[in-house]
Amino acid sequence: MKFLDQVKIYVKAGNGGHGSPSFRREKFIEYGGPDGGDGGKGGTIFLRSERNLNTLIDYRFQQHHKAGRGVNGSGQNRTGHGGEDLFLKVPIGTQVFEEDNKTLIYDFKKEGEEFVVAKGGKGGLGNTRFKSSTNRAPKKFTKGAVGEEYVIWLQLKTIADVGIVGLPNAGKSSLLAAITNATPKISNYKFTTLNPNLGVAIYDDKEITLADIPGLVEGAHEGVGLGIQFLKHIERCKTLMHLIDITDENIENTYQQVKKELSSYSKEILEKKEIIVLNKTDLLNKEEVKEIVKKFSKNKKSEVVTLSTLEKGSISKIKAKLLSYVS
């Protein structure tokens, strides 16, 4: 499935049906009088959040969405059938913006939420509505109201408990695959991850949702690599897991480099709780690992832990640590 996190669509609610100016005409009935029915209401367009969706790709090729029109009223006081409502499914975490793509209209945060994005027009009134003691045969009727129509933007911001950040090839996708049932692409070259990946880790009968985003390189805020547009998927995370390859020549420089890119996107991201994970410790001996951790941990407010996906107890240790951060 291809990933799409932003799309522009056009929505048009159904118009209301017109009222009827009909008169009752039957044999042997001299004064039949008005019998025109009302028009049916136009269909309304709803947006509904679904848990089983994680992309907006459904709206990539179908961008125009129209609800059903109300049927006109008819004789014998028959009201027209209402237009069929249209329900558009979106993933949890979708934000709805006006045409300027800046004004937020609605934010889907829970499963099953519904939002009326375009309201159908009211049905017109038939001439029976205008009958009175002084006007026994009214010819007046009203037309149905026009349904609302808008151009809107849908933006997806993934909802996760933990966001995994770091340089390319730091082992983010490998970690996600090790502690969850997710199957991200894993290779020994940079930018294997082109789109955010989600996974759910289970520990002590509790679920922890993790989001793995593409790697950040120096100058990402200027468009280098894949840029920083994917950072919006960790804006909602409670905790950031900063993954660093312990075999890098200068892990302090690596750490500050990623922090700089995060700061360029939003200062608020830096205020989130952070856990620093030094990965690939199985490539060094224990003494080297202790020395590097001791040196790197100086003047760090965030907790520093080590990880080797090859060690059995290491995965459980990370899960327990993450649970303590998000609970």
Side-chain angles (χ1 to χ4, degrees):
M1 181 185 291
K2 292 186 177 180
F3 183 81
L4 186 68
D5 60 5
Q6 180 171 272
V7 68
K8 182 181 182 180
I9 64 173
Y10 166 80
V11 291
K12 170 71 170 72
N15 297 336
H18 303 323
S20 172
S22 172
F23 284 88
R24 182 183 179 190
R25 290 181 173 86
E26 292 184 38
K27 191 176 182 181
F28 306 123
I29 298 179
E30 186 176 1
Y31 301 107
D35 70 345
D38 299 338
K41 70 177 184 66
T44 297
I45 298 181
F46 296 86
L47 292 177
R48 177 190 289 163
S49 58
E50 294 283 340
R51 179 175 294 277
N52 295 329
L53 294 176
N54 59 6
T55 175
L56 296 170
I57 194 65
D58 293 341
Y59 303 103
R60 173 65 178 85
F61 301 106
Q62 185 179 355
Q63 299 173 353
H64 288 234
H65 303 271
K66 298 180 180 180
R69 181 189 181 279
V71 179
N72 295 337
S74 55
Q76 299 181 2
N77 290 317
R78 288 176 293 185
T79 301
H81 191 281
E84 187 175 353
D85 294 335
L86 180 62
F87 290 86
L88 303 177
K89 298 178 181 180
V90 296
I92 299 175
T94 300
Q95 292 182 322
V96 186
F97 289 86
E98 290 186 1
E99 189 174 3
D100 60 4
N101 204 12
K102 295 179 181 178
T103 308
L104 179 64
I105 304 174
Y106 196 80
D107 190 359
F108 290 93
K109 296 182 179 180
K110 298 179 180 179
E111 181 182 9
E113 285 184 323
E114 290 186 357
F115 171 66
V116 177
V117 67
K119 192 174 182 180
K122 291 183 178 180
L125 301 177
N127 60 348
T128 306
R129 297 276 190 173
F130 301 98
K131 182 177 66 174
S132 68
S133 59
T134 57
N135 187 1
R136 309 293 294 179
K139 296 180 180 179
K140 182 179 179 181
F141 69 98
T142 61
K143 294 185 176 181
V146 177
E148 297 176 342
E149 58 179 321
Y150 301 103
V151 174
I152 60 173
W153 283 88
L154 301 178
Q155 287 190 19
L156 175 60
K157 289 185 178 180
T158 304
I159 295 180
D161 298 315
V162 180
I164 308 175
V165 299
L167 291 180
N169 271 19
K172 301 185 296 299
S173 296
S174 299
L175 173 64
L176 186 70
I179 66 178
T180 72
N181 290 327
T183 56
K185 184 179 179 181
I186 301 172
S187 295
N188 61 347
Y189 55 85
K190 293 184 178 181
F191 300 115
T192 308
T193 302
L194 299 177
N195 300 307
N197 293 309
L198 283 179
V200 178
I202 300 177
Y203 184 80
D204 196 20
D205 294 330
K206 295 182 180 179
E207 292 185 350
I208 310 167
T209 307
L210 296 94
D212 166 32
I213 64 169
L216 294 169
V217 295
E218 188 174 4
H221 65 282
E222 298 174 349
V224 179
L226 294 177
I228 59 175
Q229 68 270 22
F230 287 110
L231 289 178
K232 66 183 178 183
H233 293 287
I234 62 171
E235 282 185 14
R236 303 176 188 265
C237 295
K238 300 176 183 177
T239 304
L240 293 183
M241 178 190 286
H242 194 151
L243 212 61
I244 301 175
D245 186 346
I246 198 171
T247 61
D248 286 350
E249 293 182 1
N250 191 338
I251 61 175
E252 179 63 34
N253 183 56
T254 299
Y255 175 72
Q256 295 300 334
Q257 179 181 318
V258 174
K259 295 281 282 188
K260 180 181 178 182
E261 299 302 328
L262 293 175
S263 177
S264 298
Y265 179 80
S266 172
K267 300 290 185 182
E268 295 179 358
I269 290 184
L270 295 180
E271 297 176 0
K272 296 180 180 294
K273 291 186 290 185
E274 179 189 43
I275 176 173
I276 304 172
V277 179
L278 300 181
N279 193 22
K280 304 180 184 180
T281 56
D282 51 284
L283 300 177
L284 302 175
N285 60 52
K286 293 184 179 180
E287 294 300 323
E288 288 178 317
V289 172
K290 286 182 180 180
E291 185 178 346
I292 292 174
V293 172
K294 182 178 179 181
K295 182 180 179 181
F296 178 75
S297 300
K298 289 182 179 179
N299 302 321
K300 293 288 188 304
K301 295 181 180 179
S302 303
E303 184 178 3
V304 180
V305 298
T306 58
L307 170 68
S308 171
T309 53
L310 299 179
E311 297 178 9
K312 294 182 179 179
S314 188
I315 300 301
S316 297
K317 176 184 173 184
I318 286 295
K319 287 183 179 181
K321 188 67 67 176
L322 291 176
L323 184 60
S324 67
Y325 269 78
V326 300
S327 58

